Amino acid sequence: MTLTPSPRRLFLIILLAVLVGRGALAATDAPVVNDITQLNPIHVREIITPTSVEEVAAAVKSHDGPISIGGGRFSMGGQTATDGALQLDMRQMDKVVSFSQEAKEITVQAGITWRKIQDYIDPYSLSLRIMQTYANFTVGGSLSVNVHGRYIGQGPLVRSVKAIRLVLADGSVVRASPDENRDLFYGAIGGYGSLGVIVEATLALADDVRVERQSSVMPLSRYASFFKEHVRNNSAVIFHNADIYPNAFDTVRVTSYVKTEKPVTVKERLIPKDANYDLDRNVFAVISEWPGGKWMRQHIVDPWVFRGERIEWRNYEASYDVRELEPASRKKATYVLQEYFVPVARLDEFVPTMSGILNRHHVNTINVSIRHALPDPGTLLAWARTEVFAFVLYYKQGTSDSDRKAVHEWTRELIDAAISFGGAYYLPYQIVATKAQFHAAYPRAGELFALKQRVDPTNKFRNRLIDAYYERKAPEAPGSGSEGSGWSAKPTTESSNIEAELRSVKGYQRDEAQTYLTLPEWILVFSPAEYARWLSAHEPAGFPYFGAIGQFWGYYHDAYALTKQKYPFNFGYHLMVFVIGTSFTVENTLKGLYENTIGRVTEWTSHGEPTPEDRFGARVAQEYVDFIRVDPWYEFSFFRRFQELWRETQFSGPHLLRKWERKLALSLEYLAKAQYAMLITLGTKAIYGDADSEMLVWATNVSSEALAHEPKIKVLRQFADSSELLSLPRYEEFRDAVERLSAEGVIFREIAGNREILMTLTVPSAWPYDLPAGRVVISRPILTEPGNRRIGIAVPVTELQSVVSALGARHFVIEHVFDY
Ligand SMILES: Cc1cc2nc3c(=O)[nH]c(=O)nc-3n(C[C@H](O)[C@H](O)[C@H](O)COP(=O)(O)OP(=O)(O)OC[C@H]3O[C@@H](n4cnc5c(N)ncnc54)[C@H](O)[C@@H]3O)c2cc1C
């Protein structure tokens, strides 16, 4: 029998272990919030369903941790939740508060759907002035996205909003309109719930009129002038859009619904709620999956759908149900939307760029619908900064990791394209844009974040979108003129001077991505620690060697997933992880196979009673872990342990077979590792030289008491704003220093020039994350401790003190703070 498995078998073992590791991730009792794509499950702490403004205000006031807000949950990238949040599911706040037929105005609770409003106002022959194509969305969700529809002479939803009522982070309820609390009005509308909970809205209504459908097909090249001449200034056109046929993208079906006095051909005033959509679903399946499906749509399905005269009520055309799009299953593939906005004059340039990207990446495009919007009157996250055409891309994608990765790639290309034409991309869809892309597309985001910092100083209102882009600024020094809020959004000249000075300090700036990328290396500490703990109470054969391999690659996958969108690809690092991961894999595979065959036999002969060699092995396992927590593993002297093994253990004694088998197995292990460590020592020094031993930290509120018993923490510089540059020890001692400084109230501004840092800890599996800041970005079970999991938390550096203190108060032990 050979101890080395075939490559194919090894691969299967690893794959199995990876899958087992990942499968266990989903096992937790916390409620899950997902969206229509089913791509974004998020474990929240609790979901509540308030029915009144008072209930919302009370819940917000009394909850200190993160709060997220859910409407219809049709946004597609986790915009409605964040890990461990208290989720306000607004759908029970669905009442009409007041209505005036004469003033054509309605005030509603924010969880109401458009459809419910339509049911209410239709008998008065009134319509919503602006909404999306489908009527399932809530008013609050639509306001927070600042949606648009197919209306001509309109644009973003904010244009039809007279006022809103908002619950702020302190539980106060404020009214905001274009004349009152303007900043909150233009921040909250389109603000994705970042400022507070919209609890009520007053909306302008329009007349419900009869509309006649007019549809024709034309080359795309004619569309811009057709729109300008026949649509743009034609007040009779209520709805209008143009569908570009993929994959040629050179032909459009142009459809307008024009006001008419003719009698309706569609008798219903609203689409029946129980309409059957089986046919529509099958048609979408044919278009997206069948060879020739797209041709059939263009040449058979659409000519049939758009045949003959059709006259209907405006409300009918505005009451579509998203059920018509819902596939039988979203498990392996899912329909997804994206949207891009470009100034009207750039249409002819944008379409070929967009279609080039879609075709080059073989995107399964079902439709691209062109819509029009007048400029936004002033929302801070305005997607229509000028008059724009919107390109609504509807496509199908697989749900596997590689499918998602591919989508991210071409999406970022499309975002770049839209930005290069002076446009933007839409935020309610998958969160793919880099920070730079986000700020380029939404140049006033900084103003929104400054406002958020003022009205939501503890960052209560959060979701995946806010988490991705919101950065709180560090507190200002006393006397800097902004004591009122305690926080400033823009760095003062002084702090920017300090930042510039810091960046010139040698060794100050380290790569932020490393906080995540060092995780797999630390798994090579955590896993031996788990092994040493196991050996202190169990025989070696029962250790989950193959599971440990799966965990390593699983964590590597997590670290890669967390960095690939945000930071440039670091080839050298990935190569290094591949090398250490492979040696870890080989070591654990060999050990797993050996311990589960020969090891089990000799274990059986000793009746599970440990020999001195067993005890020696357990002791060395622990020494090794203690050593590598501070020093590089390859400096551990395996050769000395080999010598000690033969010096300290006898040649004879009870359980002779087990005794000698252990002697030989441990000798082989120590000698092989001594050789390997020697090679790595030479290689590492040749490539990197000796590792740095200090971590530079910019901090404030550093009292002399905080440093009194910290000989390893040095003050390197003091700045005019009373902040200081500190030198902290690295690795495990860094964690200890952070904990002690946090306990003394020291606030970190930057660590190694970075604003975000990862930490890990072991928590009970069912623990819902409820800390004041930070978000869970990694969660995996501890293989030898059922009921516990290791979580990785990404923490803004400025929040580190509050998070570390909150963990201390809950008696959680921080495993590691990843110091880049
Ligand atoms: C099939 C389909 C078609 C679509 N068509 C269009 C379209 O034609 N035009 C268009 O512009 N968009 C369109 N969208 C996007 C859609 O309009 C947005 O995703 C919209 O937010 C959905 O509303 P919702 O009630 O589901 O909001 P949710 O997805 O539940 O929430 C959206 C955001 O609003 C926040 N939020 C929700 N309620 C409140 C509240 N009361 N107070 C504060 N914040 C709140 C949430 O936290 C979240 O950040 C479409 C989406 C789908 C799935």
Short mmCIF file of all heavy atoms in Angstrom, two decimals, residues 722-759:
data_model
loop_
_atom_site.label_atom_id
_atom_site.label_comp_id
_atom_site.label_asym_id
_atom_site.label_seq_id
_atom_site.Cartn_x
_atom_site.Cartn_y
_atom_site.Cartn_z
N SER A 722 -2.95 66.83 18.89
CA SER A 722 -2.86 65.91 20.03
C SER A 722 -2.93 64.44 19.63
O SER A 722 -3.09 63.58 20.50
CB SER A 722 -3.97 66.16 21.07
OG SER A 722 -3.94 67.47 21.47
N SER A 723 -2.88 64.15 18.36
CA SER A 723 -2.80 62.74 17.98
C SER A 723 -1.32 62.33 17.97
O SER A 723 -0.43 63.19 18.01
CB SER A 723 -3.44 62.52 16.61
OG SER A 723 -2.74 63.24 15.63
N GLU A 724 -1.09 61.02 17.91
CA GLU A 724 0.30 60.55 18.00
C GLU A 724 0.55 59.40 17.03
O GLU A 724 -0.37 58.66 16.68
CB GLU A 724 0.60 60.06 19.42
CG GLU A 724 -0.05 60.96 20.42
CD GLU A 724 0.60 60.95 21.79
OE1 GLU A 724 1.74 60.56 21.92
OE2 GLU A 724 -0.08 61.37 22.71
N LEU A 725 1.80 59.29 16.65
CA LEU A 725 2.21 58.12 15.86
C LEU A 725 2.87 57.15 16.83
O LEU A 725 3.85 57.49 17.50
CB LEU A 725 3.20 58.54 14.77
CG LEU A 725 3.76 57.37 13.95
CD1 LEU A 725 2.66 56.69 13.14
CD2 LEU A 725 4.86 57.85 12.99
N LEU A 726 2.29 55.94 16.90
CA LEU A 726 2.80 54.94 17.84
C LEU A 726 3.44 53.79 17.09
O LEU A 726 3.05 53.48 15.97
CB LEU A 726 1.65 54.37 18.68
CG LEU A 726 0.77 55.36 19.44
CD1 LEU A 726 -0.37 54.61 20.12
CD2 LEU A 726 1.59 56.13 20.47
N SER A 727 4.38 53.16 17.77
CA SER A 727 4.92 51.90 17.23
C SER A 727 4.44 50.78 18.15
O SER A 727 4.64 50.83 19.37
CB SER A 727 6.45 51.98 17.23
OG SER A 727 6.97 50.66 17.18
N LEU A 728 3.76 49.79 17.56
CA LEU A 728 3.25 48.66 18.33
C LEU A 728 3.98 47.39 17.90
O LEU A 728 4.37 47.29 16.72
CB LEU A 728 1.75 48.47 18.08
CG LEU A 728 0.76 49.21 19.00
CD1 LEU A 728 0.97 50.70 18.96
CD2 LEU A 728 -0.68 48.89 18.59
N PRO A 729 4.10 46.40 18.79
CA PRO A 729 4.69 45.13 18.35
C PRO A 729 3.73 44.44 17.38
O PRO A 729 2.56 44.81 17.30
CB PRO A 729 4.83 44.33 19.64
CG PRO A 729 3.82 44.91 20.56
CD PRO A 729 3.69 46.36 20.19
N ARG A 730 4.22 43.43 16.68
CA ARG A 730 3.39 42.81 15.65
C ARG A 730 2.78 41.49 16.13
O ARG A 730 2.99 41.04 17.22
CB ARG A 730 4.21 42.57 14.39
CG ARG A 730 4.62 43.86 13.73
CD ARG A 730 4.87 43.67 12.28
NE ARG A 730 3.68 43.19 11.60
CZ ARG A 730 3.67 42.74 10.35
NH1 ARG A 730 4.78 42.70 9.65
NH2 ARG A 730 2.56 42.31 9.80
N TYR A 731 1.98 40.92 15.25
CA TYR A 731 1.38 39.59 15.39
C TYR A 731 0.55 39.48 16.67
O TYR A 731 -0.26 40.35 16.92
CB TYR A 731 2.46 38.50 15.29
CG TYR A 731 3.32 38.67 14.05
CD1 TYR A 731 4.69 38.79 14.13
CD2 TYR A 731 2.73 38.75 12.79
CE1 TYR A 731 5.47 38.96 13.00
CE2 TYR A 731 3.50 38.92 11.65
CZ TYR A 731 4.87 39.04 11.76
OH TYR A 731 5.63 39.22 10.65
N GLU A 732 0.80 38.45 17.47
CA GLU A 732 -0.06 38.24 18.62
C GLU A 732 0.04 39.38 19.63
O GLU A 732 -0.94 39.81 20.24
CB GLU A 732 0.28 36.92 19.30
CG GLU A 732 -0.87 36.46 20.18
CD GLU A 732 -0.78 34.98 20.43
OE1 GLU A 732 0.16 34.54 21.09
OE2 GLU A 732 -1.66 34.27 19.93
N GLU A 733 1.23 39.91 19.77
CA GLU A 733 1.42 41.02 20.71
C GLU A 733 0.68 42.28 20.23
O GLU A 733 0.32 43.14 21.02
CB GLU A 733 2.91 41.33 20.88
CG GLU A 733 3.63 40.24 21.65
CD GLU A 733 5.11 40.54 21.77
OE1 GLU A 733 5.76 40.69 20.71
OE2 GLU A 733 5.60 40.65 22.87
N PHE A 734 0.48 42.36 18.93
CA PHE A 734 -0.27 43.49 18.39
C PHE A 734 -1.71 43.43 18.90
O PHE A 734 -2.28 44.43 19.35
CB PHE A 734 -0.24 43.44 16.86
CG PHE A 734 -1.07 44.51 16.22
CD1 PHE A 734 -0.65 45.83 16.20
CD2 PHE A 734 -2.30 44.21 15.63
CE1 PHE A 734 -1.42 46.83 15.62
CE2 PHE A 734 -3.08 45.20 15.05
CZ PHE A 734 -2.63 46.50 15.04
N ARG A 735 -2.29 42.21 18.83
CA ARG A 735 -3.66 42.05 19.35
C ARG A 735 -3.72 42.49 20.82
O ARG A 735 -4.61 43.24 21.21
CB ARG A 735 -4.09 40.59 19.22
CG ARG A 735 -5.45 40.31 19.83
CD ARG A 735 -5.61 38.87 20.19
NE ARG A 735 -4.62 38.45 21.18
CZ ARG A 735 -4.39 37.19 21.50
NH1 ARG A 735 -5.07 36.23 20.91
NH2 ARG A 735 -3.49 36.87 22.41
N ASP A 736 -2.76 42.02 21.61
CA ASP A 736 -2.78 42.35 23.04
C ASP A 736 -2.67 43.86 23.25
O ASP A 736 -3.36 44.45 24.08
CB ASP A 736 -1.62 41.65 23.76
CG ASP A 736 -1.73 40.14 23.63
OD1 ASP A 736 -2.84 39.67 23.32
OD2 ASP A 736 -0.70 39.45 23.80
N ALA A 737 -1.80 44.49 22.46
CA ALA A 737 -1.62 45.94 22.59
C ALA A 737 -2.91 46.67 22.22
O ALA A 737 -3.33 47.61 22.91
CB ALA A 737 -0.46 46.40 21.70
N VAL A 738 -3.55 46.23 21.15
CA VAL A 738 -4.81 46.87 20.73
C VAL A 738 -5.84 46.73 21.84
O VAL A 738 -6.57 47.69 22.16
CB VAL A 738 -5.31 46.23 19.41
CG1 VAL A 738 -6.77 46.58 19.15
CG2 VAL A 738 -4.44 46.68 18.24
N GLU A 739 -5.91 45.57 22.44
CA GLU A 739 -6.91 45.36 23.51
C GLU A 739 -6.64 46.29 24.69
O GLU A 739 -7.55 46.91 25.23
CB GLU A 739 -6.88 43.91 23.97
CG GLU A 739 -7.60 42.99 23.01
CD GLU A 739 -7.65 41.54 23.48
OE1 GLU A 739 -6.65 41.06 24.05
OE2 GLU A 739 -8.68 40.91 23.25
N ARG A 740 -5.37 46.40 25.06
CA ARG A 740 -5.07 47.22 26.24
C ARG A 740 -5.28 48.70 25.94
O ARG A 740 -5.83 49.44 26.75
CB ARG A 740 -3.64 46.94 26.73
CG ARG A 740 -3.55 45.55 27.40
CD ARG A 740 -2.27 45.40 28.19
NE ARG A 740 -1.11 45.53 27.34
CZ ARG A 740 -0.48 44.49 26.74
NH1 ARG A 740 -0.93 43.28 26.92
NH2 ARG A 740 0.57 44.70 25.98
N LEU A 741 -4.86 49.14 24.76
CA LEU A 741 -5.06 50.55 24.40
C LEU A 741 -6.55 50.87 24.30
O LEU A 741 -7.00 51.94 24.72
CB LEU A 741 -4.35 50.87 23.07
CG LEU A 741 -2.81 50.82 23.11
CD1 LEU A 741 -2.24 51.08 21.72
CD2 LEU A 741 -2.24 51.84 24.09
N SER A 742 -7.31 49.94 23.76
CA SER A 742 -8.77 50.16 23.64
C SER A 742 -9.38 50.31 25.02
O SER A 742 -10.25 51.17 25.24
CB SER A 742 -9.44 49.00 22.91
OG SER A 742 -8.96 48.91 21.60
N ALA A 743 -8.92 49.48 25.94
CA ALA A 743 -9.47 49.56 27.30
C ALA A 743 -9.17 50.92 27.92
O ALA A 743 -9.91 51.41 28.77
CB ALA A 743 -8.88 48.44 28.15
N GLU A 744 -8.09 51.56 27.46
CA GLU A 744 -7.72 52.88 27.99
C GLU A 744 -8.38 54.01 27.19
O GLU A 744 -8.06 55.18 27.37
CB GLU A 744 -6.19 53.07 27.95
CG GLU A 744 -5.42 52.12 28.85
CD GLU A 744 -5.63 52.41 30.34
OE1 GLU A 744 -6.08 53.52 30.67
OE2 GLU A 744 -5.36 51.51 31.16
N GLY A 745 -9.24 53.66 26.25
CA GLY A 745 -9.97 54.67 25.50
C GLY A 745 -9.21 55.27 24.33
O GLY A 745 -9.62 56.29 23.76
N VAL A 746 -8.11 54.64 23.92
CA VAL A 746 -7.35 55.16 22.77
C VAL A 746 -8.16 54.93 21.49
O VAL A 746 -8.69 53.85 21.27
CB VAL A 746 -5.98 54.44 22.68
CG1 VAL A 746 -5.27 54.80 21.38
CG2 VAL A 746 -5.12 54.81 23.88
N ILE A 747 -8.27 55.96 20.67
CA ILE A 747 -9.00 55.85 19.40
C ILE A 747 -7.99 55.74 18.28
O ILE A 747 -7.09 56.57 18.16
CB ILE A 747 -9.89 57.09 19.14
CG1 ILE A 747 -10.84 57.35 20.32
CG2 ILE A 747 -10.65 56.96 17.83
CD1 ILE A 747 -12.00 56.41 20.43
N PHE A 748 -8.15 54.71 17.46
CA PHE A 748 -7.23 54.52 16.34
C PHE A 748 -7.74 55.30 15.14
O PHE A 748 -8.94 55.27 14.84
CB PHE A 748 -7.13 53.03 16.00
CG PHE A 748 -6.68 52.20 17.16
CD1 PHE A 748 -7.59 51.58 18.00
CD2 PHE A 748 -5.33 52.07 17.43
CE1 PHE A 748 -7.18 50.84 19.10
CE2 PHE A 748 -4.91 51.33 18.53
CZ PHE A 748 -5.83 50.71 19.37
N ARG A 749 -6.83 55.99 14.49
CA ARG A 749 -7.24 56.70 13.27
C ARG A 749 -6.83 55.91 12.03
O ARG A 749 -7.60 55.77 11.10
CB ARG A 749 -6.59 58.07 13.23
CG ARG A 749 -7.28 59.07 14.13
CD ARG A 749 -6.78 60.45 13.76
NE ARG A 749 -7.42 61.47 14.56
CZ ARG A 749 -7.18 62.75 14.42
NH1 ARG A 749 -6.31 63.16 13.53
NH2 ARG A 749 -7.79 63.63 15.16
N GLU A 750 -5.61 55.46 12.04
CA GLU A 750 -5.13 54.62 10.93
C GLU A 750 -4.18 53.59 11.51
O GLU A 750 -3.44 53.88 12.46
CB GLU A 750 -4.35 55.44 9.90
CG GLU A 750 -5.21 56.34 9.05
CD GLU A 750 -4.39 57.05 7.95
OE1 GLU A 750 -3.14 57.02 8.01
OE2 GLU A 750 -5.02 57.63 7.08
N ILE A 751 -4.20 52.41 10.95
CA ILE A 751 -3.20 51.41 11.33
C ILE A 751 -2.43 51.09 10.05
O ILE A 751 -3.04 50.67 9.05
CB ILE A 751 -3.84 50.15 11.93
CG1 ILE A 751 -4.60 50.53 13.20
CG2 ILE A 751 -2.79 49.07 12.21
CD1 ILE A 751 -5.31 49.40 13.89
N ALA A 752 -1.15 51.33 10.08
CA ALA A 752 -0.30 51.15 8.89
C ALA A 752 -0.89 51.89 7.70
O ALA A 752 -0.86 51.41 6.57
CB ALA A 752 -0.13 49.66 8.59
N GLY A 753 -1.47 53.04 7.97
CA GLY A 753 -2.01 53.88 6.89
C GLY A 753 -3.35 53.39 6.37
O GLY A 753 -3.85 53.91 5.37
N ASN A 754 -3.96 52.41 7.03
CA ASN A 754 -5.19 51.83 6.52
C ASN A 754 -6.39 52.15 7.40
O ASN A 754 -6.24 52.48 8.57
CB ASN A 754 -5.03 50.31 6.40
CG ASN A 754 -3.97 49.97 5.38
OD1 ASN A 754 -3.98 50.51 4.27
ND2 ASN A 754 -3.03 49.12 5.76
N ARG A 755 -7.58 52.01 6.78
CA ARG A 755 -8.82 52.40 7.47
C ARG A 755 -9.70 51.20 7.81
O ARG A 755 -10.78 51.36 8.34
CB ARG A 755 -9.61 53.36 6.58
CG ARG A 755 -8.85 54.63 6.19
CD ARG A 755 -8.83 55.58 7.37
NE ARG A 755 -7.94 56.70 7.15
CZ ARG A 755 -8.31 57.89 6.70
NH1 ARG A 755 -9.56 58.12 6.40
NH2 ARG A 755 -7.42 58.86 6.55
N GLU A 756 -9.31 50.00 7.41
CA GLU A 756 -10.13 48.83 7.70
C GLU A 756 -9.22 47.70 8.15
O GLU A 756 -8.11 47.56 7.64
CB GLU A 756 -10.92 48.42 6.46
CG GLU A 756 -11.91 47.31 6.71
CD GLU A 756 -12.93 47.16 5.57
OE1 GLU A 756 -13.97 47.82 5.62
OE2 GLU A 756 -12.67 46.37 4.66
N ILE A 757 -9.70 46.92 9.12
CA ILE A 757 -8.85 45.84 9.64
C ILE A 757 -9.73 44.63 9.96
O ILE A 757 -10.90 44.77 10.31
CB ILE A 757 -8.05 46.32 10.87
CG1 ILE A 757 -6.91 45.35 11.19
CG2 ILE A 757 -8.94 46.54 12.09
CD1 ILE A 757 -5.78 45.98 11.99
N LEU A 758 -9.15 43.46 9.78
CA LEU A 758 -9.88 42.21 10.03
C LEU A 758 -9.50 41.66 11.39
O LEU A 758 -8.33 41.72 11.79
CB LEU A 758 -9.51 41.19 8.95
CG LEU A 758 -10.13 39.80 9.08
CD1 LEU A 758 -11.61 39.83 8.71
CD2 LEU A 758 -9.41 38.79 8.19
N MET A 759 -10.48 41.13 12.12
CA MET A 759 -10.15 40.37 13.33
C MET A 759 -10.98 39.09 13.35
O MET A 759 -12.03 39.02 12.72
CB MET A 759 -10.41 41.20 14.59
CG MET A 759 -11.83 41.62 14.81
SD MET A 759 -12.08 42.20 16.49
CE MET A 759 -11.21 43.73 16.45
#
